[in-house]
Amino acid sequence: MSTVDKQLEDVKATIDDEVPPRISVSDVTYEGPELVIYTRDPKEFAANSDLVRRLASKLRKRITVRPDPDVLAPPAEAEAAIREIIPEEAGVMDLKFHTDTGEVVVQARKPGVVIGRRGSTLRDITREVGWTPEVVRTPPIESSTVENVRNFLKQEREDRRDILERVGRQIHREPMSDDEYVRITTLGCCREVGRAAFIISTPDTRVLIDCGNKPGSNGETPYLDVPEAFGAGANGIDAVVLTHAHLDHSALVPLLFEYGYDGPVYCTEPTRDLMGLLTLDYLGTAADDGRTPPYDSEMVREAIKHTIPLEYGDVTDIAPDIKLTLHNAGHVLGSSVCHFHVGDGLYNVAFSGDIHYDDTRLFDGAVNDFPRVETLVLESTYGGRNDYQTDQEDSERKLKQIVQNAADRDGKVLIPTFAVGRSQELMLVLEEAMRNGDIPEMPVHLDGMIWEATAVHTTYPEYLRDDLQDRIFDDDRNPFLAEQFNHIDGGDEERQEIADGDSCIILSTSGMLTGGPVMSWLEEIGPDPDSALTFVGYQAQGTLGNRIQRGVDEVPVGNGRSETVPLEMTVETVDGFSGHADRQGLENFVKTMNPRPEKILCVHGDESATQDLSSSLYHDQNIRTFAPENLETFRFR
């Protein structure tokens, strides 16, 4: 008998001792980080509301209770009963029954009403019909991405359950080594921006944090072939943790499955969906530009199928000796500061991912309060000594002035932007400015994936600021449904009509001019001196956006980018809209961090930015700091 099977026997014995005799327990198994209890008496479990909580506390594990399929009420009968139990104001739109897990997914406009006070309505449902309810929100803007992901996972439930059981056994295996150490190996994004990738390893476990591309490069990938990563075989990695969905952190996660990786990917639910959206677009853009994509769409689906979504604040076992907790990073939807607790109090490491320290229109600022942290791996995108951005109010004032100036000349404003995060922030600013009469009302055209990314935001309002949540679910006040927003879906013909038309604002991907529909806009309106090209985000070295900021006045166009057009638009840069903390924000994140870290690794910034921030934190905060290069390994303990 394996150690995991023996452990499950012991767990089942403990459960049998705690559960009243009238409640049967037919099976106990691990599915990913959760302990799943199967019972023929789900109604009794639901009636005893403290039982699961007591078991979770005693066993120190996350517990899910599932009914045996043969004790469930038939779906048609159950649906009628459920609709009778849930108050009408919940706005139930759909119910989907999954007999393999005994779950019923309730889609409603107001999930809180479905849940009830302290879960009372959910317990009423299980007591009445035996099914375990799972509640999802009906978004005000329909997202094909979210719908496709949910339908795909429904179709793959059997495979996914096998994956989760295998992962669960791997997590709960016995440690094999008596040694104790923690190592971090840098596989990318050190003294550079992009291709983020790190390995955190112990004698028993190796976890990969992020796996991104490098904007503007010719296919540079993280150093995945070294012994610390995949050099010893794809399944030498126990888990992948994804901080957020931007491509410089997520683009090559599906490539891991091409290499043969078959383990879990941990991230928030919106990060999972956005990773699917952005990586599929990444493949399409590569094909359009005549480049060979590094993997196909099937590998994107494999990555999604292997993803285990976590919520902020949940402490989760991801290996026998590592617990992971995700916290809000304030950067983009679902972005996370990832906290790793290694061993039995041995060591704690936090990876910032990309962070924004202050509150924005979309998000609360990054969390920097932890039980323990000895080492912080800190992004340094704006870590240079002069990387101080203007505050949000000044930035918005400058953007409104640019729009007004272009309108006065009957010109257009083209804003290259990331589909996720920056675009939604700009939509909020422009909607309010037009509503208040600060700028003339005009169409705001959304090109690329921006509308779909906005729909994903409205699907997960719990990740947004409270006041914005309230507005999103009031159709009359939802800023993303303002009439001036126009989703472009007609291709080049529609773009040509807009380019020949009146003043307008165009938000278009990609944000660093590395491809995508923004290149068509540059071809159409780049030669127009009455229009303005406005950068609102970081332009990495080597990208066309960076070269234009430095004075390039011709833009490559056409297939293969073999032709050029003159760039006669006014070129503007508006700081303050970045999803990254500036130099002051990074310093404040560390200064106010609780507890104070002993060591800081400054990463994800160009060479001068990482070295400047490292030096400043060392002198001002008296903390040991490093600006590592790629392929360095740090040992702790």
Side-chain angles (χ1 to χ4, degrees), residues 164-473:
L164 290 174
E165 287 187 357
R166 177 164 43 79
V167 170
R169 297 179 71 86
Q170 183 75 0
I171 290 170
H172 295 95
R173 71 189 189 276
E174 289 293 320
M176 299 179 64
S177 174
D178 293 329
D179 291 343
E180 288 188 330
Y181 64 74
V182 180
R183 296 189 309 198
I184 294 175
T185 301
T186 59
L187 304 182
C189 84
C190 290
R191 304 193 185 192
E192 62 180 355
V193 173
R195 61 169 173 176
F198 302 89
I199 291 282
I200 182 169
S201 57
T202 72
D204 284 293
T205 304
R206 285 189 292 180
V207 176
L208 175 66
I209 297 96
D210 286 344
C211 194
N213 70 344
K214 185 172 181 178
S217 75
N218 293 315
E220 288 182 81
T221 65
Y223 293 92
L224 298 174
D225 57 348
V226 298
E228 291 83 355
F230 281 61
N235 286 311
I237 300 294
D238 293 275
V240 175
V241 175
L242 184 56
T243 61
H244 67 285
H246 276 157
L247 290 174
D248 57 337
H249 294 255
S250 78
L252 301 179
V253 169
L255 181 64
L256 306 177
F257 293 88
E258 185 81 34
Y259 284 177
Y261 177 67
D262 197 31
V265 178
Y266 295 96
C267 60
T268 63
E269 198 168 8
T271 294
R272 177 199 65 192
D273 294 358
L274 290 170
M275 174 186 69
L277 174 66
L278 295 177
T279 51
L280 287 173
D281 183 74
Y282 170 70
L283 297 182
T285 300
D288 290 344
D289 290 346
R291 294 180 280 116
T292 302
Y295 52 83
D296 60 26
S297 59
E298 181 59 32
M299 294 302 101
V300 176
R301 288 189 284 272
E302 280 298 307
I304 290 171
K305 186 165 66 176
H306 284 74
T307 297
I308 299 177
L310 305 178
E311 295 184 5
Y312 289 152
D314 284 351
V315 180
T316 303
D317 291 304
I318 64 169
D321 54 352
I322 297 181
K323 296 180 187 295
L324 167 67
T325 311
L326 304 182
H327 302 275
N328 171 44
H331 175 63
V332 294
L333 185 72
S335 60
S336 302
V337 176
C338 300
H339 179 275
F340 296 89
H341 177 83
V342 181
D344 188 10
L346 176 68
Y347 208 77
N348 294 263
V349 180
F351 285 80
S352 74
D354 290 347
I355 56 172
H356 198 289
Y357 178 72
D358 297 312
D359 295 347
T360 66
R361 286 177 176 264
L362 283 172
F363 308 112
D364 294 327
V367 169
N368 63 351
D369 192 4
F370 311 98
R372 276 180 54 188
V373 174
E374 282 76 49
T375 290
L376 170 66
V377 181
L378 177 66
E379 72 122 321
S380 313
T381 312
Y382 287 104
R385 62 171 55 94
N386 296 317
D387 289 342
Y388 294 96
Q389 300 181 41
T390 54
D391 65 31
Q392 188 166 319
E393 190 174 325
D394 287 343
S395 301
E396 293 181 8
R397 187 180 302 114
K398 182 174 180 180
L399 177 65
K400 288 185 278 192
Q401 188 61 57
I402 292 169
V403 171
Q404 183 66 61
N405 292 343
D408 291 344
R409 299 191 300 264
D410 294 326
K412 300 170 178 64
V413 179
L414 173 61
I415 305 177
T417 181
F418 294 119
V420 178
R422 201 77 38 80
S423 295
Q424 291 71 39
E425 190 89 17
L426 290 167
M427 290 171 72
L428 294 176
V429 172
L430 294 170
E431 183 274 336
E432 182 183 273
M434 291 184 192
R435 176 162 42 84
N436 292 341
D438 296 338
I439 57 176
E441 289 200 10
M442 64 181 73
V444 179
H445 302 289
L446 311 174
D447 205 353
M449 298 176 298
I450 293 172
W451 183 248
E452 178 58 28
T454 303
V456 177
H457 279 70
T458 68
T459 304
Y460 297 104
E462 62 271 25
Y463 288 84
L464 306 175
R465 293 187 64 174
D466 289 347
D467 59 331
L468 182 56
Q469 289 184 43
D470 295 340
R471 294 174 63 200
I472 283 174
F473 288 100

